[in-house]
Amino acid sequence: MFSAFRRRYLDVLASIYIYNEHRGYTSIDRVLEAVRVRCPDDHVFIAAIEKHRADERKHYTMFRRWFQLQGKMPLKVDRALGHIDRFVEIAFGRTIDDLDTQAVIHSDDLFERLCRVIMLTEMRGMKQVDALLKSPLVKADPVMVRIFKIVEKDEPSHWQPYQDWLDRTGRPQAKWTEKLTDFWIHRELLFLKIPLVFVNPWTPRRTDWADERENEPAPRPLAA
């Protein structure tokens, strides 16, 4: 029974992570567009976001490889299980897909708000990875441990560039309302939405990979 519980836990966990990693790197393309227009001479900031994008893509590929090793597809989860999805919806009043990139480019308030949302989301991700690497359920799977150790190493470089930009341009760091939103989203996912997926045996699986229609070479996959 414990083995079945652990398999289900890792299945749900990896399904949520692979969704969020894919959502992450595809959304960062629009962040890059905004930064290249607003800060064309800030090559360090641009390079840091390009690395962030590449890391998210790499993480997605590692989780895809984990599922391939398991011989199954991820569970079909959507933006209800996406931390950044929920954060953007609350902070901007619309989904990531409906977010107006041009409006963000031309508005100081919207752009710095977006930087804070990304920064807080990545900080939350780093804390979550630290907790997962201490979990006996995760430690029982050597491949999953290896994936999360790579994610752990990459995470600081994902939020620090946004924090640094806010600091050196004299913009406010995370506001208390944004911190409260981040806290609420995390608790909502942890204690409500994820358990509902865990106990629902009828959650369907994806029939294709989210990146199948993307014309870019995949990063080197994690070895078995």
Side-chain angles (χ1 to χ4, degrees), residues 13 20-21 42 44 66 74 121 125 135 145 161 164 177 185 188 206 223:
L13 179 68
N20 279 278
E21 299 294 354
D42 197 338
V44 173
W66 183 87
T121 298
S135 167
V145 169
D164 178 63
T177 52
I185 293 169
E188 180 186 49
R206 291 188 61 96

Side-chain angles (χ1 to χ4, degrees), residues 106-125:
H106 296 296
S107 169
D108 290 345
D109 176 68
L110 293 179
F111 183 72
E112 67 180 61
R113 191 188 312 171
L114 181 62
C115 286
R116 289 195 298 268
V117 166
I118 296 171
M119 179 185 72
L120 286 171
T121 298
E122 294 299 334
M123 285 179 168
R124 174 65 61 186

Side-chain angles (χ1 to χ4, degrees), residues 83-116:
H83 192 284
I84 188 67
D85 288 89
R86 292 288 293 124
F87 213 153
V88 168
E89 286 177 13
I90 295 171
F92 293 90
R94 60 188 63 196
T95 66
I96 289 177
D97 295 329
D98 293 333
L99 195 61
D100 188 339
T101 305
Q102 292 304 311
V104 172
I105 289 172
H106 296 296
S107 169
D108 290 345
D109 176 68
L110 293 179
F111 183 72
E112 67 180 61
R113 191 188 312 171
L114 181 62
C115 286
R116 289 195 298 268

Side-chain angles (χ1 to χ4, degrees), residues 63-204:
F63 282 107
R64 173 171 169 163
R65 178 58 176 158
W66 183 87
F67 277 107
Q68 290 171 330
L69 292 172
Q70 302 296 312
K72 58 188 175 185
M73 297 293 287
L75 296 168
K76 192 175 183 180
V77 301
D78 57 21
R79 59 189 180 86
L81 277 297
H83 192 284
I84 188 67
D85 288 89
R86 292 288 293 124
F87 213 153
V88 168
E89 286 177 13
I90 295 171
F92 293 90
R94 60 188 63 196
T95 66
I96 289 177
D97 295 329
D98 293 333
L99 195 61
D100 188 339
T101 305
Q102 292 304 311
V104 172
I105 289 172
H106 296 296
S107 169
D108 290 345
D109 176 68
L110 293 179
F111 183 72
E112 67 180 61
R113 191 188 312 171
L114 181 62
C115 286
R116 289 195 298 268
V117 166
I118 296 171
M119 179 185 72
L120 286 171
T121 298
E122 294 299 334
M123 285 179 168
R124 174 65 61 186
M126 184 172 67
K127 294 175 184 176
Q128 191 61 38
V129 169
D130 288 342
L132 288 170
L133 282 171
K134 297 173 185 175
S135 167
L137 295 170
V138 172
K139 289 195 288 187
D141 187 315
V143 177
M144 189 69 78
V145 169
R146 186 176 177 191
I147 291 172
F148 279 121
K149 282 188 175 295
I150 293 171
V151 175
E152 179 188 40
K153 181 180 178 181
D154 292 338
E155 279 298 338
S157 67
H158 295 175
W159 58 265
Q160 288 170 347
Y162 303 96
Q163 184 186 61
D164 178 63
W165 182 84
L166 291 166
D167 183 55
R168 58 191 169 83
T169 57
R171 318 276 176 163
Q173 296 290 326
K175 299 178 180 179
W176 72 267
T177 52
E178 294 163 340
K179 291 181 179 180
L180 183 62
T181 299
D182 169 66
F183 177 82
W184 165 251
I185 293 169
H186 178 66
R187 290 301 186 270
E188 180 186 49
L189 288 170
L190 194 61
F191 296 113
L192 177 61
K193 293 184 175 181
I194 295 175
L196 287 175
V197 175
F198 183 88
V199 300
N200 182 8
W202 298 284
T203 302

